[in-house]
Amino acid sequence: MVGIPPSHPRYLSLLLRERIVEGYKRGIVVLEGLIAHGRGEAFDYILGEKTHSFAEEAMRAAVALMLLSRNPVISVNGNTAALVPGDIVRLAEAVGAKLEVNLFYRTRQREEAIARVLKEHGAREVLGVGSDASATIPELHSERRRVSPRGILVADTVLVPLEDGDRTEALRRMGKNVIAIDLNPFSRTAQMASITIVDNVVRAVPRMVEMAEELRGKDRGELERIVSSYDNRRVLGEAIRMIRERLERLSEKGVFLEV
Ligand code: ATP
């Protein structure tokens, strides 16, 4: 990374910013995506930029659910393609899910740029590009309503990293399981999803690939037990409690870096 040594305390965070900016220059990320990334950074800062046990628990249930699903689909937007293109392709392979481009700000060029990046990272098929996005999700007014009739339209489970609340709600109304990855446990997406992974996509997606490799060998009964014992309200509550406790400790000490 230009001019920033790996020993810099914010190196990783700066590296991610650079990936997002690079994605913008390549026509993958839109300006609004930069704002969304900034909001994610703020929550990650508060969470201590690490994966907590509540996120691990949500990831395990999410992977088990995808392995049990008949038609799991991973919905990919610009920020996800810029941040974790290789890991998202590996996750799709590991759980047997399809990959579909789905964009709030949809243009043909952007769809194709995102599909190209995924293919460069080994994806065999990418849905939701051009005339393939010919079906619509009812009651949704943004460009995100356009989906593939072979993908999200017929999916039983959709993984939506970095989603907007409206579409999560619309997918739930269609009876689908929705798995969200969102650093903000207060967002409508986080609140509406069936399973919410409160973690950064750059940590969550590779961890989910590892889990998929481990869980793939288990029988359906065991996977079903993982899913049925999962409670998203409780897990979201734990994420919010973690934020409160961290902030309480910080406010008592009046310093951030030692906590
Ligand atoms: P909602 O409609 O769900 O209330 P919003 O309007 O707050 O969402 P958007 O701007 O559509 O959110 O999407 C950005 C969301 O993605 C934010 O909640 C942000 O915290 C989260 N986010 C951004 N970057 C990351 C990341 N790298 N990993 C996980 N979550 C992220």
Side-chain angles (χ1 to χ4, degrees):
M1 188 164 45
V2 196
I4 298 165
S7 56
H8 189 289
R10 306 295 309 147
Y11 181 76
L12 199 62
S13 168
L14 295 171
L15 187 75
L16 298 182
R17 276 194 188 173
E18 198 144 293
R19 277 192 214 161
I20 290 283
V21 170
E22 198 49 45
Y24 173 72
K25 289 181 186 156
R26 289 183 68 181
I28 293 167
V29 170
V30 282
L31 279 173
E32 290 78 358
L34 272 61
I35 299 169
H37 184 76
R39 180 166 12 210
E41 278 184 344
F43 277 97
D44 212 10
Y45 217 105
I46 293 171
L47 287 163
E49 296 176 321
K50 64 175 191 186
T51 301
H52 293 274
S53 56
F54 51 78
E56 285 268 335
E57 188 184 342
M59 285 183 224
R60 204 172 165 75
V63 169
L65 179 60
M66 284 197 281
L67 287 169
L68 285 167
S69 297
R70 237 173 316 121
N71 276 316
V73 173
I74 301 178
S75 173
V76 183
N77 72 352
N79 284 30
T80 308
L83 290 173
V84 281
D87 291 317
I88 211 83
V89 172
R90 276 189 282 282
L91 181 61
E93 277 286 319
V95 297
K98 290 179 182 148
L99 288 163
E100 176 166 343
V101 177
N102 189 269
L103 305 173
F104 195 93
Y105 303 97
R106 192 184 266 280
T107 64
R108 184 66 186 256
Q109 263 173 335
R110 237 184 120 214
E111 288 168 3
E112 283 172 359
I114 291 171
R116 202 175 315 121
V117 155
L118 296 176
K119 286 188 173 158
E120 279 166 16
H121 285 83
R124 271 170 291 166
E125 190 183 29
V126 181
L127 302 175
V129 179
S131 59
D132 183 56
S134 60
T136 49
I137 297 179
E139 298 171 60
L140 194 63
H141 302 292
S142 76
E143 274 300 286
R144 286 205 131 168
R145 74 179 186 278
R146 287 178 48 202
V147 295
S148 167
R150 294 184 295 137
I152 290 172
L153 188 74
V154 293
D156 45 358
T157 300
V158 190
L159 170 66
V160 289
L162 319 184
E163 189 59 31
D164 64 282
D166 283 357
R167 197 166 73 110
T168 306
E169 201 173 341
L171 293 172
R172 287 300 306 271
R173 267 202 305 271
M174 290 171 80
K176 299 181 192 300
N177 302 307
V178 179
I179 302 163
I181 306 177
D182 192 336
L183 278 159
N184 176 6
F186 308 108
S187 77
R188 284 177 45 245
T189 304
Q191 297 285 322
M192 290 302 304
S194 330
I195 297 179
T196 308
I197 299 162
V198 181
D199 199 7
N200 198 317
V201 286
V202 302
R203 294 188 299 269
V205 181
R207 181 73 188 106
M208 288 168 82
V209 175
E210 283 174 11
M211 284 183 182
E213 273 148 19
E214 179 211 326
L215 292 179
R216 236 179 355 195
K218 310 273 183 209
D219 59 51
R220 285 188 76 84
E222 194 163 343
L223 298 178
E224 276 159 9
R225 271 193 297 282
I226 294 173
V227 174
S228 64
S229 64
Y230 180 80
D231 178 350
N232 207 43
R233 287 279 131 212
R234 181 178 54 73
V235 167
L236 276 172
E238 278 177 30
I240 294 169
R241 204 156 34 248
M242 161 67 65
I243 290 176
R244 191 193 68 197
E245 281 166 10
R246 266 182 67 79
L247 293 179
E248 252 167 28
R249 265 185 287 144
L250 292 166
S251 66
E252 279 159 17
K253 286 187 153 193
V255 288
F256 184 74
L257 294 174
E258 287 168 21
V259 177

